[in-house]
Structure formats: C-alpha cells, structure tokens
Amino acid sequence: MASCAFLAPAAALFPLQAQAQRLFPQKVERGSITFTGTHDVVLNDKRERLAPGAIVRTERNTIALTGSLRGKTFTANYLRDPAHLVREVWLLTPAEAERPLRPRLGVTATPDTPADPLIYRN
C-alpha cells in the first residue's frame, strides 16, 4: 500500500499521452473520416464502406461503436482489407495527427539511429 502511495504522484507528473504511445502498422494511411452510418463513412471526401467486423479505436485506444460516431469527423489512421474496405481505424489525438505518418524517405536505421519505435511492421 505504501508503494502505491509513492507511485501515484509520480504518474500524475506525466500527461496521459506521454505515458502510453500507440503503435501503428507501417502500412497505415491517414485521412479525414466522417461516420455517416453504421457501415458507411466519408474518407477523404469519398464515400467508403467499412469492412464487416471493422474495428474503430478512439483517441484513448478503446473500441468505439460506429453508431455512436455518426455525424462526427476525425483525423484518423486506417488500414484496408484485401477487398479494399476499411478494416481498422485509429482516431488520432492532435499530437498524433501532427506527427509524420512515415519516417522520412532515405533515412535508414543504424546502430546510432534506431528505427522509429512508434511504428511496427505487419
């Protein structure tokens, strides 16, 4: 119990975004998404369809029901399935939206400059 009392103030010193950074697959795309129906979205000004079983993660990385997002627009990272339907969506925080989608071209990881830890290969 004493250790919990010691660690609680330390956790409060760091903002929530700094405590947990999300990892995105290397093949994600970024765009503006508006939820128009349970399975329908407008992605980068083009009507699209969500794949059956599509997963939408909120800024806090919780799963959102698409019906609760109807009429709302977000900046998001997304992945498509082989049928070109949107299968995964990550709604971005303002800090994540400012971050470049991919590392700069021509920059490779060396022992002195490790690869970007916020991107994993899929």
Side-chain angles (χ1 to χ4, degrees):
M1 183 113 140
S3 64
C4 290
F6 175 74
L7 293 177
L13 295 175
F14 300 101
L16 186 57
Q17 292 89 359
Q19 292 177 17
Q21 293 182 348
R22 296 192 288 178
L23 301 176
F24 301 109
Q26 191 172 24
K27 295 179 183 178
V28 294
E29 299 175 58
R30 182 171 294 164
S32 173
I33 188 167
T34 302
F35 293 86
T36 57
T38 306
H39 297 287
D40 300 314
V41 295
V42 175
L43 185 59
N44 298 327
D45 299 323
K46 183 180 172 194
R47 291 188 162 278
E48 299 268 355
R49 194 103 171 115
L50 294 176
I55 297 174
V56 178
R57 292 181 179 87
T58 67
E59 296 90 341
R60 293 180 177 223
N61 219 31
T62 59
I63 304 291
L65 299 175
T66 55
S68 68
L69 302 172
R70 186 175 293 173
K72 297 179 182 174
T73 301
F74 303 91
T75 300
N77 285 349
Y78 60 93
L79 282 176
R80 295 183 181 274
D81 68 4
H84 208 61
L85 299 174
V86 178
R87 70 176 166 114
E88 285 187 76
V89 178
W90 291 266
L91 305 179
L92 301 178
T93 65
E96 289 171 334
E98 288 177 9
R99 185 180 172 87
L101 185 60
R102 292 180 181 86
R104 290 176 285 146
L105 294 175
V107 177
T108 56
T110 65
D112 298 333
T113 60
D116 190 339
L118 299 180
I119 298 176
Y120 68 86
R121 298 194 189 284
N122 53 336

